[in-house]
């Protein structure tokens, strides 16, 4: 696995250093110098000095630059340093392409051009958008969000995209709509699933769901980019959900369909193991997963590569209580 390679595997030539990694490190470092952002992890100090250096093949998977996107100041500081892109783009869950974290190479088989997203169900104005429609019609912004997987690893990711409620305003859900189902791309010819024998019997396509009220929340976001570029395929190109107060599995990747419905929809993980993966799936340190505690989280980064994960306490709603607590009161 790329992630558990010896440090020297990352220490490539200057020409393979990605602009993004250096950009983020410098930006956050300058900020820390002026006293902001208490609590930043110091994980990158230590044996592997060249923490932003990326494998050349991995660098080739990154998307195209997305210029002129403004950083939303309300989400400019996640209280931790953004995860270096080389880690975020090589430690992924995308089960359509395999059961390991190291799926970035196999995910390159995902066909993303052309791409359409059908918005349908209980709405006044159903639409099928292509990617250009989406990025022209909805103003793009950058938001730096915490990301917390149900498996207890965490990152900080600078997404580019637009609020989900902008899309809701365009299609106008009817009063009968109470839930929303999101469906990911699936084609057994290119998404083989994990290599274990029962992959075909898994509940494909990958689906997720929110309540309409959750989708209308300030935080709920569709990402079309990350680290200043269009989404790499391993992150769920060309468009994925980001709901940072919930466990990462709620953020379906490579979305092809959004459907407003009256009843709570069946979803992928909740169908597979309802006692382990709840529909609501909010980040809650006190509520243990049946097989592990959620009280702490491990930061993906340099320490992961060094086999010594840095641990931090988990925060209720992943730190976004001021935005979402009222939804669950
Ligand atoms: N979406 C699809 N279609 N397939 C998946 O396997 N995995 C989920 C979520 N979205 C997944 C998915 C899980 S478990 C997590 S933690 C996040 O994607 C991981 O996002 P990342 O790889 O971009 O960090």
């Amino acid at each position: 696995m790329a992630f558990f390679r010896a440090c020297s595997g990352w220490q490539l030539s200057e020409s393979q250093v990605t602009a993004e990694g250096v950009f983020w490190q410098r930006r956050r470092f300058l900020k820390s110098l002026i006293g902001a952002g208490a609590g930043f992890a110091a994980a990158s100090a230590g044996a592997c000095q060249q923490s932003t250096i990326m494998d050349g093949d991995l660098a080739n998977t990154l998307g195209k630059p997305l210029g002129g996107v403004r950083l939303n100041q309300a989400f400019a500081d996640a209280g931790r340093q953004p995860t270096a892109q080389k880690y975020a783009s090589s430690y992924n869950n995308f089960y359509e392409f395999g059961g390991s974290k190291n799926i970035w190479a196999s995910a390159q088989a995902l066909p993303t051009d052309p791409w359409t997203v059908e918005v349908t169900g209980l709405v006044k104005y159903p639409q099928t958008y292509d990617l250009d429609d989406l990025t022209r019609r909805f103003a793009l912004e950058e938001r730096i969000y915490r990301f917390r997987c149900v498996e207890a690893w965490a990152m900080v990711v600078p997404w580019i995209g637009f609020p989900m409620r902008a899309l809701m305003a365009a299609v106008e859900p009817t009063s009968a709509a109470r839930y929303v189902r999101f469906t990911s791309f699936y084609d057994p010819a290119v998404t083989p699933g994990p290599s274990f024998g029962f992959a075909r019997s898994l509940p494909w396509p990958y689906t997720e769901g929110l309540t309409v009220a959750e989708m209308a929340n300030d935080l709920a976001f569709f990402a079309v980019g990350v680290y200043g570029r269009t989404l790499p395929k391993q992150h769920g190109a060309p468009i994925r959900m980001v709901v940072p107060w919930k466990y990462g599995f709620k953020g379906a990747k490579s979305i092809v369909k959004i459907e407003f419905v009256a009843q709570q929809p069946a979803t992928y993980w909740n169908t597979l193991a309802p006692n382990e993966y709840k529909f609501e799936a909010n980040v809650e340190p006190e509520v243990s997963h049946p097989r592990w505690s959620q009280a702490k989280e491990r930061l993906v980064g340099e320490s992961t590569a060094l086999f010594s994960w840095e641990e931090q306490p988990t925060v209720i709603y992943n730190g976004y209580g001021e935005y979402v607590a009222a939804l669950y009161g």
Side-chain angles (χ1 to χ4, degrees), residues 34 52 60 71 75 100 141 228 233 238 288 291:
I34 57 169
T52 57
N60 288 335
L71 173 63
F75 306 110
S100 87
E141 58 180 81
K233 294 183 178 185
S288 296
R291 290 183 281 132

Side-chain angles (χ1 to χ4, degrees), residues 92-96 149 155 184 206 235 240 248-249 251 253:
N92 302 98
N93 277 335
F94 204 169
Y95 287 89
E96 286 87 334
C149 178
M155 301 192 282
S184 295
Y206 194 100
H235 268 311
R240 60 146 331 138
F249 72 85
K253 297 180 167 185

Side-chain angles (χ1 to χ4, degrees), residues 246-327:
K246 293 180 177 286
Y247 290 121
F249 72 85
K250 294 296 292 182
K253 297 180 167 185
S254 305
I255 293 168
V256 293
K257 191 172 181 181
I258 299 167
E259 199 176 354
F260 289 79
V261 295
Q263 308 293 332
Q264 182 177 304
T267 55
Y268 183 87
W269 288 105
N270 188 245
T271 302
L272 266 177
N275 60 326
E276 302 201 356
Y277 308 106
K278 304 290 178 204
F279 180 85
E280 197 168 80
N282 294 325
V283 175
E284 291 181 89
E286 309 285 301
V287 181
S288 296
H289 183 280
R291 290 183 281 132
W292 57 83
S293 162
Q294 295 290 21
K296 289 194 172 165
E297 57 199 30
R298 303 183 306 274
L299 303 188
V300 171
E302 197 69 31
S303 61
T304 322
L306 296 172
F307 293 96
S308 60
W309 291 82
E310 185 191 330
E311 282 197 337
Q312 296 276 334
T314 305
V315 184
I316 182 77
Y317 302 125
N318 205 19
Y320 295 102
E322 68 178 288
Y323 293 92
V324 297
L327 286 171

Side-chain angles (χ1 to χ4, degrees), residues 54-251:
M54 189 182 286
D55 180 300
D57 291 341
L58 179 60
N60 288 335
T61 70
L62 307 185
K64 299 192 187 98
L66 275 172
V69 177
R70 105 193 146 87
L71 173 63
N72 183 330
Q73 289 304 321
F75 306 110
D77 188 350
R80 287 177 185 162
Q81 190 170 21
T83 305
Q85 187 176 16
K86 73 169 189 183
Y87 299 119
S89 60
S90 63
Y91 190 84
N92 302 98
N93 277 335
F94 204 169
Y95 287 89
E96 286 87 334
F97 294 100
S100 87
K101 301 284 179 275
N102 185 22
I103 51 71
W104 61 267
S106 46
Q108 302 315 308
L110 178 75
T112 54
D113 188 17
W115 192 272
T116 56
V117 181
E118 183 188 2
V119 188
T120 183
L122 301 170
V123 291
K124 276 195 203 150
Y125 306 110
Q127 297 275 348
T128 297
Y129 296 101
D130 66 26
L131 207 64
D132 279 351
D133 293 334
L134 286 169
T135 52
R136 257 190 249 117
R137 178 156 189 167
F138 303 109
L140 299 186
E141 58 180 81
E142 183 174 47
R143 296 183 177 197
I144 302 172
Y145 276 163
R146 288 179 182 235
F147 183 94
R148 171 59 153 82
C149 178
V150 72
E151 296 163 337
W153 50 267
M155 301 192 282
V156 173
V157 184
W159 302 107
I160 290 173
F162 57 91
M164 287 193 185
R165 65 177 179 200
L167 181 132
M168 293 175 76
V171 298
E172 293 191 28
T174 68
S175 57
R178 297 201 39 235
Y179 291 89
V180 195
R181 171 168 40 215
F182 303 82
T183 304
S184 295
F185 175 88
Y186 178 65
D187 174 353
V190 290
T191 53
S195 53
F196 30 84
F198 57 91
R200 287 279 191 271
S201 63
L202 295 171
W204 307 116
Y206 194 100
T207 49
E208 258 312 329
L210 296 174
T211 65
V212 165
E214 288 173 332
M215 188 179 180
N217 186 270
D218 268 351
L219 293 175
F221 202 61
F222 286 117
V224 296
V226 72
Y227 295 94
R229 292 172 171 259
T230 56
L231 282 179
K233 294 183 178 185
Q234 57 268 35
H235 268 311
I239 178 166
R240 60 146 331 138
M241 305 166 64
V242 185
V243 278
W245 73 99
K246 293 180 177 286
Y247 290 121
F249 72 85
K250 294 296 292 182

